[in-house]
Amino acid sequence: MYYNWKETTNTEELKIVCNLIKNGEIVIFPTETVYGIGANAFDEKAVGKIFMAKGRPSDNPLIVHIADKRMITDIAKEITEVEQKLIDHFMPGPFTLILKKTDKIPNIVSAGLETVAIRMPNHVIARGIIAFSGVPIAAPSANISGKPSGTTVEDIRKELEGKVSAIVDGGETEIGLESTVVKVIDEIPCILRPGKISVEDIRNVIGVAELGNGIFKPIDESEEVESPGLKHKHYAPNKPAQLMYSENENDLIFEINRLIKSYKGDVILLGFEEHREKIIISEQRFINLGSKENLEQIAQNLYSALRKSDELAGQLIIIEGVKKEGLGIAIMNRLLRSCGYQYEEF
Ligand code: AMP
Ligand code: MG
């Protein structure tokens, strides 16, 4: 079933959706980061349906979403002082913390790890569904595994309609990129996946924080990684893509134009609106990422733009990159992975 809660949450429909969760079904719902596809985190069979619907590899664990910090005691144990500080400062919000898991969380959720990822969304619909269901909700992003995450219901329906019991529409998601995933290792918060909460934000609270390795480079299949999600292909359109960046704008535009001219085929450009006139690309093959000055807007547009690039005729996608700083770290992490690390910096 499709439920439109863009304007307001319908309480009768909320009961229906929460009954589906309680009865072991899976439901798509919005959060402030991206849409999630959720099930009762305590119900092994229900969580199995998420992996089936997404085609998600079973070694990639899910994030457990809570409506209230009191829910944490059922899910995680032995919380340290640093972890508690992170919970106090960054929940609710686009922030996921890896904690030692209790036995109540089935192994399918944590992909066999001793730890569990927890997030408290700052979104009225997500929180309402979790609170009225009365259980934590395990939910990865709403997309077929390997594809860009779903940030609008229009995008999601094309992929997942018919594979879930309900889709709740809350409009386009505000942030557009998944949460910052953090694990505290030897009392130092380590960012396993960058997001809107930056390394500086965490340093301001804890004093120290590090970016994990594997944020800007591929992880070898055989390597042991803290975050299993890093190993897998992700955010990828079906066509080959080339990511390009330079601190010098003129150099970047020159190199993009040179590639377009020399390429034997049609190019699609995911670029900034300020560059539209300076790059030799037709209107139909230009996808606007937003203003180069507005990283929030670029983040919000990113996944829909990647999906759109797949729908246009053309053989190569050129993507303009941003500086790896602040939110730019999360944007470049997703873009590097979406183009399979085909990246040139001038
Ligand atoms: P998604 O919900 O699709 O955005 O993906 C969840 C992300 O959190 C993936 O990158 C997972 O690898 C990561 N994650 C979930 N649980 C854990 C865990 N226990 N330890 C480390 N990373 C985790
Ligand atoms: Mg995902």
Side-chain angles (χ1 to χ4, degrees), residues 111 123 135 203 284 315 337 345:
H123 192 285
V135 288
R203 277 186 198 138
Q284 303 90 290
Q315 289 76 46
R337 298 187 65 195
E345 192 169 326

Side-chain angles (χ1 to χ4, degrees), residues 54 56 140-143 149 178 193 234-235:
K54 284 190 60 135
R56 185 169 174 109
S141 51
N143 54 277
S149 301
E178 305 83 345
R193 177 178 72 184
H234 213 335
Y235 320 114

Side-chain angles (χ1 to χ4, degrees), residues 71-86:
M71 277 177 147
I72 296 176
T73 45
D74 267 351
I75 305 165
K77 58 184 181 186
E78 298 166 32
I79 294 169
T80 66
E81 210 173 303
V82 175
E83 288 165 344
Q84 189 58 49
K85 247 185 175 170
L86 291 168

Side-chain angles (χ1 to χ4, degrees), residues 260-301:
I260 292 174
K261 270 189 237 160
S262 65
Y263 186 73
K264 293 186 180 41
D266 292 318
V267 171
I268 297 156
L269 178 73
L270 258 71
F272 306 126
E273 61 197 23
E274 293 90 343
H275 295 170
R276 163 77 190 87
E277 301 279 297
K278 298 176 182 157
I279 295 175
I280 44 163
I281 191 93
S282 69
E283 191 111 21
Q284 303 90 290
R285 291 213 163 83
F286 174 76
I287 299 171
N288 190 355
L289 280 175
S291 165
K292 66 181 169 58
E293 309 295 344
N294 189 342
L295 292 180
E296 267 83 19
Q297 189 183 38
I298 296 166
Q300 195 187 30
N301 288 341

Side-chain angles (χ1 to χ4, degrees), residues 34 54 56 59-65 96-99 109-111 113-118 139-143 149 178-179 181-183 192-193 225-232 234-235 334 337:
V34 299
K54 284 190 60 135
R56 185 169 174 109
D59 68 349
N60 196 2
L62 308 183
I63 295 171
V64 176
H65 293 72
T96 296
L97 188 59
I98 310 293
L99 295 169
V109 171
S110 61
L113 298 172
E114 295 293 306
T115 52
V116 61
I118 301 186
S141 51
N143 54 277
S149 301
E178 305 83 345
S179 58
V181 177
V182 171
K183 184 174 183 180
L192 305 184
R193 177 178 72 184
V225 287
E226 286 287 353
S227 181
L230 289 175
K231 285 192 303 200
H232 298 289
H234 213 335
Y235 320 114
R334 306 308 194 275
R337 298 187 65 195

Side-chain angles (χ1 to χ4, degrees), residues 146-148 233-242 270 305-311 317 319 334-335 337-340:
K147 294 283 125 200
K233 185 173 161 239
H234 213 335
Y235 320 114
N238 294 320
K239 297 186 205 7
Q242 173 73 51
L270 258 71
L306 283 168
R307 284 169 191 279
K308 212 181 286 168
S309 67
D310 253 349
E311 288 163 13
I317 304 167
I319 309 173
R334 306 308 194 275
L335 284 177
R337 298 187 65 195
S338 70
C339 68

